[in-house]
Structure formats: C-alpha cells, structure tokens
Amino acid sequence: MERPELPLPQLHAFVVLAEELHFGRAAARLGIAQPPLSQQIRRLEDKVGHALFTREPGRVALTPVGHELLPVARRALSDLADGLAAARAVGSGRTGRLRIGFAASLALTVLPGLLRDFRQRFPEVRLEIREMTTAPQLTALRERTVDIGLLREPEEADRELDFRTVLTEPFVAVLSHGHPLAAGRTVRLADLAEAPFVLLPREAGPGLYDRILALCAGAGFVPDVVQDAVEWQTVCALVETGLGVSLAPASIRRIRLKGVAFRAIEPGAERTRVAVAWRKSDRNPLVAHLLATVSPQSQATR
Amino acid sequence: MERPELPLPQLHAFVVLAEELHFGRAAARLGIAQPPLSQQIRRLEDKVGHALFTREPGRVALTPVGHELLPVARRALSDLADGLAAARAVGSGRTGRLRIGFAASLALTVLPGLLRDFRQRFPEVRLEIREMTTAPQLTALRERTVDIGLLREPEEADRELDFRTVLTEPFVAVLSHGHPLAAGRTVRLADLAEAPFVLLPREAGPGLYDRILALCAGAGFVPDVVQDAVEWQTVCALVETGLGVSLAPASIRRIRLKGVAFRAIEPGAERTRVAVAWRKSDRNPLVAHLLATVSPQSQATR
DNA sequence: CGAGCCGATATCTCCGTGCGTATGGAGACA
DNA sequence: TGTCTCCATACGCACGGAGATATCGGCTCG
C-alpha cells in the first residue's frame, strides 16, 4: 500500500469542476472564491503530472486524462462518504453484528422474548445466536468469539467478565407420570433421596450442577446420578421412560411431554439464576443496548 | 457530493495499523516514529466520532467501527492509486482512446496500414474508427466527437484545424469493360467530355467534387452527372452496368470488379491529396503519436 | 472601442497536519 | 520490586494547503 498522493479536497474540487465545467459556478458550489479553485486544480494537475482540463476562452473541458480520473475520484469520494456513514452507524449502535451464546434451556424462555425486543428496537443489527453450554460461553467471551452470553449460575467474580442476573427461578422436580411422588402438588427434596437421578453433565455447566448437588446435600443426601444428557429435552425424555427423576430450573416446564410431571419443591426457597454475561472492556454499543433490553427484571418464573 | 471529512494519510495509517495491530511496527512500516502514529489514529478517531481500535496492554484490536471502516479505506486507497496510474498512462500516451473518422475510399488504402502500425506501437490504445465523408469529419472534429480525420482535398486554411498531407495520388478514369476507351492504356480527359458521369454527391466532399469538376473544366467541358452514390464501391458498380463513366482517385483500383476498367489519365499531372486532420488545440498525446505514425510520406500511388 | 465575462496570477494570512524528541504510565515478567 | 515493552501525552517546529483580495489579460459583444 503506497502513500497517498492525491489530497481528497482537491479531488472534490476536481469532481465539482468536471460537473460544472465553469470555474465560477464550481467555486460557488464549493462555497469558495474562484482563485482558490484555480489553485486547487492547478496543484492537482501538478501532482498528476498532466492537465485535467482544457481552458479555452469560454470553454472548459476535460482532457482525456481528466476523463480517466473523474470516475475514480467520484467513486472514491462517495465510497468514503458512505463508508464513514456506515462506520458511524455501527458506532452509534444503530447497526452492526452481535454474537450471542446461549444455554439451550433458555431457547424456550428468555431468549425468544429477548431477541424479539432487541430486533424491534434495532432492526438493522444482525444477531448471530449460537447454542453453547455455560463453560464454553465463558471461554468464547474471553476469546472474543461471542459478545454476549446467556447462562446459568455463573461464577460471581471475574476479572474480564461482568454478569447481570436476568431472572431467578425455583427448582422443580421432574418425575415420570407414574411416579408415586407425582400424586402430590409439591415434593420435599428429601423424598428424592433414594431415587436415581438424570442430570446434565457437570462439564456442561459446573455452576448449575454444583447448585443442584448442594441442594440435595442440604436435604441430607447425595443424589445417585445414573445418567447424564446434554439437553434438558433429553433429560425429560429419559425421565419419561422411568429411568429416574431430575431437578431442574422451573422454566423447563415449557417442555411439554405427555408422560412427565413437574412438581414444585417444598419449601422452595432455593432459586437458580439466569445471567447475561459480557466483557467488561467491551465498548461495542450493541452490548450496552442489549443489556438495556434485558431490563433487570428479578421477577421469578413459577 | 459532500466535502471530504477523512484525510487520506490518516486512512493510510489506519489501514497499516489494522494490518500490523501494533503501533511500533506499523509506525516503522510507515517510516515514522510511534508517537505521530498515535496522533494520526487519534485524530482519525475524533473525526469518525468513535474508537477504531481497542488498546489493551499487549493487545491492539479493531473495534466493530474500525472493522466496518477498514475495507472501505483499503479500497478507496487502492482505487485512487490505480486510477492515478491509469490517468498518468493516458497522459503519457501509452493508453487511452482515439476516435478516428475516415473517408470510405481510404478503408482500402491508407487506413489498414495506419491502424496496423499504430496498434503495433501502442497496443493498449483503443482505436474507435468511424466511416464518414469529408464534410462531416470536419464538423465532428470541431465538435470534438472525433480526434483525427482522414479525408480528401481539405480546405487549406482553418482557424481550428490543422492538416497534413498523407499521400497524393493521380486520378483514373473508371470505365465499363465494354467502353470503347477501355481499349487503350490511357485516356485523355477530353475523351470523356460527352460521356455521362457517376460521382459522389458534392455534399459528401466538396473539395474532391470541385477538384474533379475543375479537372474537366481544364479539359474544356462540364461533365454531365447523371447519378451520384455515397460510396466509391457503388460508383464502380454503377459504372459496371454501363450507366456512365467516372473520375476517381487511383487508390480505388483496389476495388476489384470484373466488369470495370481503370485507366490512367493523360497527361496525369493532376493529383488528389489525402490528408490527416486534427484540432490545433488538441493536447492529447495520442494525436501526436498518430501524426508521428503517419510519417509524411509523399510517395504516390499509381 | 469600451464593457463585461472569465480564468490565471500574485501575494498574504492562517490553520491543520505531520513529524520529531522527551516523558509518563500501565502491564507483564523475572 | 525493578525492568522491559508498549502506547499515550506534551511540546515544538516547519511545511503545505486553503482561503481571501487585488489585479491582469484575453475574448466577446453591443
């Protein structure tokens, strides 16, 4: 890439003069006096090394050289103007691209509303959403391959990342329809002590996994995890077959499966948090816009 | 067209920095010290209104705004560089476009050699040739719709145009094979006094027409023009049918028609001139190149 | 032949920019 | 904690470019 030789203001003057073919009018359009325009053109011609206009009395016309340069100059100027406008639009957060990682369990709850609201407010922004479990989201945020994470039970303190709770929800017991505990309206945790458990693997989201184990520990038992599955959808399907029971965030009630019953936990003080995560250092206005869209509604989902 | 906001040198620095992502190395590539580079970028960011790079210790990266602006800046810079090179090529006469008007009768004689020589010396020049009679050529030259004219018997003095004789050639009598005069090797003009004539219309080329009439007047008669035709080809065809005879520049011998005979004029001192014409004020180097290509060869065509 | 139009030239001012050197400050690393 | 790297900041200088006004010179036209 060479050092630029032609100043843009001179090219601008050149283009205007090529349109007017009259120094006086062109100068007026440029908002300057006529002599400076003559100078501009002269300097430009010196740099190009050839005359760009023929000046015969009463007739200003492009030379072949000028004719060659004109479309180039015109295009460069308008490209730069357009590009600048586009860049500013990105800077203002009116347009651009936002990459969002999200936990699969949120695809049925917070995510649709969030996308809808955001798209409504910023229709020109391209949203790239990719399903990932919690741990990969944190990695992706640090590696800058996503800009926003939607995840459960994040570690609180982080040097690079910030979190904000989007919602908290209680846990529910997931039971097969035929299970004896499905008869009541609620379930005490201790009642699940002897039941085999189906859970998401710890690697997928250590935070949530550890929360669930802590819950059980609080009720005096260590769950017997007989199976894991990477999707809540699959967990429910396994529960339906009678393989075991599960503990899950209440929002998975949205998964409607015939043979599966969800029962609130008694007493139910424990809640799981869904958070939005982003890089503290991120100055992308779209991140701020998205954070503004997920107003910190602590409202619970029963 | 708006007044340009972004100085090219800053955009250049921006592009280089975006490639290096390192102020020190980018400055070295630009051949300047590091602080000036920081300033350039800062000023550019001020004008854009948004940061173009994130500077975290040990890591320089493009912001979304910078990412948006980069391809635009790159393209504008390279377009301008290319366009400038192209314009200079045109200015040097190495490339460009040259519009040539020519009399149809020359399509068989001087034109092919001229085009061949010129194309050989300037292969990158686009030649646009258009067949026109003499008078329209002069008009087209004045209106700048052609740059070069190839014509017969131009007026000598002209305020705007210059001429140079390319070749001179004698006149020949055009006779049908069956014509009594076709029996001899030469023809005296006076022998044609009673014959009906076929000629080009005067409007097509007054110079040549008047020359022919002057020739006849010199031989003591006024030709009886019974028919005109805008192409020599057609004139020959009409002569072949026995409609009449004609007087023409010798080069139309190239038109080989079975039933047509060409006979030299006795004594044959009178010659017709073929000239190249151009605008005196034309500074297009291609015009000079073409004039140099048609070296003033006064050699006659018999 | 004088008036008017149009572009070039001369001269001056001012400001932005580009570049330098010197220095500061924040992380990273040993 | 000291050092090194890397970028930002401060300050100064010089140049070019953009603008203005005044004037000149050529051409056209009434």
Side-chain angles (χ1 to χ4, degrees):
Chain A
M1 185 77 62
E2 292 308 314
R3 176 186 216 89
E5 298 185 58
L6 307 181
L8 284 186
Q10 291 173 15
L11 286 175
H12 183 214
F14 165 62
V15 169
V16 171
L17 179 56
E19 284 167 358
E20 297 291 340
L21 293 179
H22 186 288
F23 278 76
R25 282 197 300 274
R29 248 185 68 185
L30 290 165
I32 62 176
Q34 168 261 318
L37 175 60
S38 286
Q39 287 186 9
Q40 303 261 44
I41 299 301
R42 184 148 182 16
R43 271 196 288 267
L44 185 60
E45 286 175 329
D46 286 347
K47 283 179 182 154
V48 172
H50 304 277
L52 298 172
F53 294 94
T54 60
R55 293 92 149 162
E56 301 164 20
R59 136 172 267 162
V60 174
L62 278 172
T63 64
V65 179
H67 199 266
E68 181 73 25
L69 195 60
L70 178 58
V72 177
R74 216 195 288 271
R75 209 171 69 117
L77 287 171
S78 71
D79 279 6
L80 281 178
D82 294 351
L84 178 59
R88 282 178 175 155
V90 170
S92 74
R94 207 168 48 69
T95 183
R97 180 184 65 147
L98 194 63
R99 300 162 301 175
I100 303 176
F102 69 99
S105 65
L106 305 178
L108 295 170
T109 56
V110 292
L111 190 65
L114 177 62
L115 295 185
R116 184 169 37 80
D117 291 351
F118 192 87
R119 286 209 175 100
Q120 190 172 348
R121 294 181 50 185
F122 303 99
E124 292 178 52
V125 174
R126 190 154 41 93
L127 291 176
E128 292 181 5
I129 62 174
R130 47 192 81 173
E131 192 251 301
M132 347 175 41
T133 51
T134 296
Q137 279 190 51
L138 300 177
T139 305
L141 279 167
R142 277 186 253 273
E143 291 178 348
R144 296 177 158 70
T145 56
V146 303
D147 305 305
I148 291 287
L150 285 172
L151 36 77
R152 287 185 186 279
E153 298 295 332
E155 323 287 330
E156 257 325 297
D158 193 286
R159 202 168 44 81
E160 294 185 56
L161 307 180
D162 245 350
F163 302 91
R164 185 194 293 166
T165 299
V166 173
L167 64 84
T168 68
E169 48 182 342
F171 287 91
V172 294
V174 187
L175 309 166
S176 76
H177 241 211
H179 196 282
L181 289 175
R185 275 197 68 250
T186 62
V187 167
R188 285 176 306 148
L189 267 182
D191 295 339
L192 298 174
E194 303 304 322
F197 266 70
V198 182
L199 285 179
L200 262 59
R202 185 169 189 280
E203 313 85 74
L208 180 62
Y209 190 91
D210 293 349
R211 272 300 304 278
I212 291 175
L213 259 64
L215 270 178
C216 296
F221 70 97
V222 173
D224 171 28
V225 180
V226 297
Q227 178 70 50
D228 60 25
V230 288
E231 305 245 348
W232 283 110
Q233 185 82 31
T234 313
V235 170
C236 291
L238 293 171
V239 168
E240 185 180 26
T241 68
L243 184 64
V245 302
S246 191
L247 276 174
S251 62
I252 72 156
R253 286 173 182 271
R254 298 286 182 93
I255 302 176
R256 303 223 165 264
L257 237 55
K258 298 181 297 289
V260 176
F262 303 98
R263 294 294 178 263
I265 298 294
E266 191 83 7
E270 297 291 340
R271 304 176 75 90
T272 173
R273 294 170 49 225
V274 172
V276 56
W278 69 96
R279 288 182 292 278
K280 284 175 178 160
S281 63
D282 202 329
R283 293 286 161 266
N284 186 340
L286 292 182
V287 169
H289 286 161
L290 188 126
L291 294 176
T293 303
V294 289
S295 53
Q297 51 187 32
S298 306
Q299 133 207 355
T301 303
R302 269 199 326 120
Chain B
M1 186 78 62
E2 292 307 313
R3 175 189 217 91
E5 297 185 58
L6 308 182
L8 284 185
Q10 292 173 14
L11 285 175
H12 182 215
F14 165 63
V15 169
V16 171
L17 179 57
E19 284 167 359
E20 297 291 340
L21 293 179
H22 187 288
F23 278 76
R25 283 196 300 275
R29 247 185 68 185
L30 290 165
I32 62 175
Q34 169 262 317
L37 176 59
S38 287
Q39 287 187 10
Q40 303 261 43
I41 300 300
R42 182 144 179 26
R43 272 198 287 268
L44 184 60
E45 286 175 329
D46 286 347
K47 283 180 182 154
V48 172
H50 305 277
L52 299 171
F53 295 94
T54 60
R55 292 92 148 163
E56 299 164 22
R59 136 173 267 162
V60 174
L62 279 173
T63 63
V65 179
H67 198 265
E68 182 74 25
L69 195 59
L70 177 58
V72 177
R74 215 195 290 272
R75 209 171 67 116
L77 286 171
S78 71
D79 279 6
L80 281 178
D82 293 351
L84 178 58
R88 283 178 174 154
V90 169
S92 74
R94 208 169 46 67
T95 183
R97 180 185 65 144
L98 193 63
R99 301 162 301 176
I100 303 176
F102 68 99
S105 65
L106 304 178
L108 295 170
T109 57
V110 292
L111 190 65
L114 177 62
L115 295 186
R116 181 170 39 80
D117 291 351
F118 192 87
R119 286 211 175 97
Q120 190 172 346
R121 295 180 51 185
F122 304 98
E124 292 177 54
V125 173
R126 190 156 41 93
L127 291 176
E128 292 181 5
I129 62 174
R130 48 192 78 174
E131 192 251 301
M132 346 176 42
T133 49
T134 295
Q137 279 189 51
L138 299 177
T139 305
L141 279 167
R142 277 186 253 274
E143 290 177 349
R144 296 176 158 72
T145 55
V146 303
D147 305 304
I148 291 287
L150 285 174
L151 36 78
R152 287 185 186 278
E153 299 294 335
E155 322 288 328
E156 257 328 294
D158 194 286
R159 200 168 46 83
E160 294 182 58
L161 307 181
D162 245 350
F163 301 90
R164 185 194 294 166
T165 299
V166 173
L167 64 84
T168 68
E169 49 183 341
F171 287 91
V172 295
V174 187
L175 308 166
S176 76
H177 241 208
H179 196 282
L181 289 175
R185 274 197 68 253
T186 62
V187 167
R188 285 177 308 149
L189 268 182
D191 294 339
L192 298 174
E194 303 305 322
F197 265 70
V198 182
L199 286 179
L200 262 58
R202 185 168 190 279
E203 312 85 74
L208 181 61
Y209 191 92
D210 293 347
R211 272 303 302 280
I212 291 173
L213 258 64
L215 270 178
C216 296
F221 69 97
V222 174
D224 172 28
V225 180
V226 296
Q227 178 70 48
D228 60 25
V230 287
E231 306 244 346
W232 284 110
Q233 184 83 29
T234 313
V235 170
C236 291
L238 293 172
V239 168
E240 185 180 27
T241 66
L243 184 64
V245 304
S246 191
L247 275 174
S251 62
I252 72 158
R253 286 172 183 271
R254 298 286 182 90
I255 302 176
R256 304 221 165 265
L257 233 59
K258 298 181 297 290
V260 176
F262 302 98
R263 293 295 177 266
I265 297 294
E266 192 82 10
E270 297 291 339
R271 305 178 74 90
T272 174
R273 292 171 50 226
V274 173
V276 55
W278 68 96
R279 287 182 293 278
K280 284 175 179 161
S281 64
D282 202 328
R283 293 287 161 268
N284 186 342
L286 293 181
V287 170
H289 286 160
L290 188 127
L291 293 177
T293 302
V294 289
S295 54
Q297 51 187 31
S298 306
Q299 136 205 354
T301 303
R302 269 200 326 120

